[in-house]
Amino acid sequence: MWGLFFLLLVSGSVQGAAPNAAGIASAHPLATEAGREVIEAGGNAFDAAVAVSAALAVVEPYSSSLGGGGFWLLQRASDGRQVMLDGRERAPLAAHRDLYLDEAGEVVPGRSIDGALAAGIPGEPAALVHLAEHYGRLPLSRSLAPAIRLARDGFPVDRHYRRMAEWRLDALRSSPAAAGQFLHDWEIPAEGELIRQPDLASTLQLLADKGRDGFYAGELAQRLVKGVRDAGGIWSLQDLQQYQVVEREPIRGRYGELKIISAAPPSSGGVVLVTMLNILEGFQIDNLPRVQRVHLMIEAMRRAYRDRADYLGDPDFVDMPLQALTHPWYAAGLARDIQLERATPSTPQPVSKATEGADTTHFSIIDREGNRVAATLSINYPFGAAFVPAGTGVLLNDEMDDFSARPGVPNVYGLVGGEANAIGPGKRMLSSMSPTFVESDAGVAMLGTPGGSRIISMVLLAILELADGQPIAQWVRQPRFHHQYLPDRVEYEAGAFDDKTVTELQSMGHILHRLEREYGNMQALYWDRRSGQVTGASDPRGSGRTVIW
Ligand code: DON
């Protein structure tokens, strides 16, 4: 009897057993609707995750695709199982560490970003099949139905679509199949015009009918490989056949009363996040004046991002001291050289060319049984590699740029890396995507965002707002700032710091860089365990939609 009581106490099951509503927060209203439709048809949160992922691949082609990958963090209510589905792209087997270098050993600009050679082997189709078969309740034919409809009948172009297409116009024009799918007569379609994707509808139908083999074998696989090779890429049928989703144990940490559950390698997200929180916990930042608090947050970011470059990569290829990196004692060591009044300079490196991305996508889902999903999906750059193999409708990623093309040379997000993230055949490239759960006796949050290297600091800022008891709208809305060790500067959105804070941070030695544009597109849900209530918020910077019903 006492044993059972103790068990209930440590497992936390004494709280409210289930939410009194279901909720979905995604970056596109049509994707949120697709998820709701599937839950109403008797599906659970995992079926809805299939529906939302597939719909996003149709209506947000600049953010994610069947030709891309992602991480789906899951909690199954029936047994409390928490797992991260790793559907990250892999380097083709013919890839090698110098793939993007010229004869002089210099990185060739654009080669890991535009066109067929930039594409890793997609993981999203395999992940959707895995989700449906192992966690869902409905057949793929049902959970993929909304996406198939959207691909066949079309969705209307909005301002954001036009902006992203403008950004990638030249690259899109160099792939006839991509231009045919996403442009009208080689031009950016006007707002309100419909994007119909009949080839993508057929590919989704194949996935619904044949599961994994619909994509990774047979005629579609042959078309994918032929299209890639004809355009100078290096995929083989064996690459597609060998692709496997991996179930990984999430990274876990604590911040006061809060339990953090986040993405494991090959994402750096969970490790960097937990390191930052561990450093901050040592300083008890709650009671500090704002400028002191910001200073310590910057210093925590600086140190955790430095470790990212030094240690992290694909766990199937690289030994990583994960337990040490996420341990409070290790953070205490990192914190030892933090000065309370002075910025620590990062070791100088060539100036990077970090860009501000608004692509990649996150969604959060909870159903009335308490099953939950936080998923971040990507094709990397807007419209990925901007390349579609003819007759497939599948827009390919340029996730190969997330590898370190050469030690010390920054990628599009200004991130540098070393040996651990060097290109290798079949290897997964290091990511920053950080789908995260935050749990306490009071409730459970599900959150994440796009934003390249800034993803992890955005999730940190949101967790600190949660810890401060701020409402969910504030987690996603707050003006943001970021430091990633290199370049050695604090990037911030308008409104993040008042004039006094700017002056004081500068006098401590911080180099401040105010961004022209806002960044991120966070989608968050919260289940209050005591009342059963579910709340949610979509980042006002994007055009996402949250529904709770
Ligand atoms: O996996 C990663 O870390 C990147 N490919 C994510 C890219 C991203 O978030 C772009 N969005 N702004």
Side-chain angles (χ1 to χ4, degrees):
M1 163 75 186
W2 283 109
L4 179 65
F5 179 70
F6 180 71
L7 208 72
L8 284 171
L9 209 65
V10 289
S11 69
S13 326
V14 280
Q15 274 80 42
N20 61 18
I24 302 178
S26 98
H28 200 291
L30 292 170
T32 300
E33 251 343 287
R36 170 152 63 179
E37 175 186 320
V38 161
I39 289 189
E40 305 244 288
N44 60 17
F46 310 119
D47 296 306
V50 173
V52 173
S53 305
L56 287 168
V58 176
V59 301
E60 255 202 324
Y62 39 81
S63 286
S64 70
S65 161
L66 286 190
F71 302 112
W72 289 255
L73 184 66
L74 316 179
Q75 152 104 12
R76 184 165 59 194
S78 58
D79 58 359
R81 174 171 172 70
Q82 290 182 329
V83 70
M84 183 188 89
L85 285 198
D86 171 358
R88 181 69 162 167
E89 298 91 333
R90 296 175 67 191
L93 294 167
H96 55 88
R97 55 184 303 136
D98 297 337
L99 189 59
Y100 300 111
L101 305 185
D102 63 15
E103 274 113 56
E106 298 299 327
V107 177
V108 182
R111 201 184 266 183
S112 60
I113 296 173
D114 301 329
L117 192 63
I121 306 303
E124 177 156 337
L128 299 191
V129 173
H130 188 97
L131 252 177
E133 287 178 353
H134 295 266
Y135 296 92
R137 194 173 283 157
L138 298 179
L140 276 169
S141 56
R142 185 66 196 88
S143 48
L144 291 178
I148 294 171
R149 221 169 46 225
L150 287 164
R152 194 190 51 218
D153 300 345
F155 70 92
V157 166
D158 60 11
R159 278 225 321 266
H160 189 58
Y161 182 101
R162 285 181 52 83
R163 199 159 66 83
M164 293 286 133
E166 170 87 60
W167 188 343
R168 300 291 278 146
L169 189 55
D170 289 346
L172 286 168
R173 282 179 174 157
S174 36
S175 163
Q181 197 163 334
F182 302 115
L183 304 175
H184 288 167
D185 292 329
W186 302 89
E187 299 297 337
I188 302 170
E191 255 181 73
E193 283 185 29
L194 289 184
I195 300 293
R196 293 197 180 88
Q197 305 174 75
D199 286 347
L200 179 57
S202 307
T203 294
L204 283 161
Q205 190 64 55
L206 269 176
L207 199 63
D209 295 343
K210 299 191 173 167
R212 201 198 132 86
D213 281 354
F215 189 92
Y216 294 89
E219 201 178 320
L220 186 82
Q222 275 163 14
R223 277 196 202 150
L224 288 168
V225 169
K226 181 171 182 334
V228 164
R229 294 189 81 92
D230 286 353
I234 53 173
W235 288 18
S236 67
L237 284 173
Q238 200 191 357
D239 279 312
L240 291 170
Q241 272 149 19
Q242 278 192 5
Y243 186 87
Q244 292 295 341
V245 171
V246 184
E247 292 209 346
R248 299 198 195 269
E249 174 64 21
I251 293 291
R252 293 169 195 280
R254 290 199 81 101
Y255 184 69
E257 300 290 293
L258 304 177
K259 282 192 215 160
I260 314 296
I261 299 104
S262 190
S267 175
S268 58
V271 173
V272 174
L273 181 63
V274 168
T275 308
M276 293 189 292
L277 287 166
N278 283 341
I279 293 175
L280 292 173
E281 181 143 42
F283 287 96
Q284 301 287 318
I285 60 171
D286 306 3
N287 304 320
L288 296 177
R290 165 89 175 146
V291 66
Q292 199 69 60
R293 193 177 148 114
V294 169
H295 166 65
L296 290 171
M297 285 156 77
I298 294 166
E299 293 305 316
M301 291 176 191
R302 184 197 305 277
R303 284 161 178 77
Y305 274 88
R306 181 186 55 201
D307 278 1
R308 177 194 196 278
D310 284 347
Y311 294 112
L312 301 181
D314 180 348
D316 297 337
F317 285 70
V318 183
D319 273 336
M320 286 170 277
L322 293 183
Q323 285 213 318
L325 290 174
T326 54
H327 200 284
W329 287 352
Y330 176 75
L334 288 181
R336 214 173 297 136
D337 68 349
I338 295 181
Q339 300 175 56
L340 292 179
E341 305 295 338
R342 202 73 220 141
T344 316
S346 304
T347 312
Q349 283 273 333
V351 178
S352 78
K353 49 178 170 62
T355 58
E356 293 155 42
D359 39 304
T360 299
T361 195
H362 179 87
F363 65 84
S364 299
I365 303 182
I366 189 164
D367 65 22
R368 283 183 207 90
E369 294 157 46
N371 296 306
R372 26 180 162 112
V373 181
T376 314
L377 319 179
S378 183
I379 44 174
N380 200 30
Y381 225 45
F383 286 94
F387 177 80
V388 174
T392 66
V394 178
L395 176 64
L396 299 189
N397 69 85
D398 56 359
E399 220 78 63
M400 290 295 285
D401 190 69
D402 276 346
F403 278 117
S404 163
R406 214 188 74 187
V409 175
N411 73 357
V412 282
Y413 303 107
L415 289 168
V416 288
E419 200 48 45
N421 191 32
I423 303 173
K427 192 174 172 187
R428 286 160 149 91
M429 54 297 279
L430 187 61
S431 172
S432 302
M433 292 189 283
S434 312
T436 299
F437 298 149
V438 184
E439 302 178 345
S440 71
D441 289 350
V444 177
M446 290 135 267
L447 71 158
T449 177
S453 53
R454 298 186 191 128
I455 291 173
I456 323 172
S457 63
M458 283 189 256
V459 172
L460 171 77
L461 296 179
I463 292 175
L464 294 176
E465 291 299 299
L466 186 169
D468 268 358
Q470 297 298 322
I472 194 162
Q474 172 65 13
W475 314 351
V476 307
R477 179 182 58 209
Q478 65 174 315
R480 296 169 172 141
F481 62 93
H482 170 78
H483 195 294
Q484 60 184 44
Y485 185 66
L486 290 172
D488 187 356
R489 63 183 196 187
V490 185
E491 299 168 342
Y492 68 101
E493 288 181 324
F497 306 137
D498 58 18
D499 292 348
K500 182 163 164 283
T501 307
V502 167
T503 315
E504 289 186 45
L505 288 172
Q506 281 168 336
S507 72
M508 289 173 158
H510 291 290
I511 302 155
L512 297 190
H513 174 74
R514 192 182 131 161
L515 298 168
E516 296 299 318
R517 286 224 310 267
E518 8 182 62
Y519 63 91
N521 194 7
M522 186 169 278
Q523 309 293 327
L525 291 175
Y526 185 73
W527 163 33
D528 183 322
R529 280 172 143 154
R530 292 178 177 136
S531 67
Q533 200 191 6
V534 176
T535 47
S538 292
D539 200 319
R541 295 164 186 79
S543 44
R545 178 172 301 162
T546 299
V547 291
I548 314 276
W549 78 104

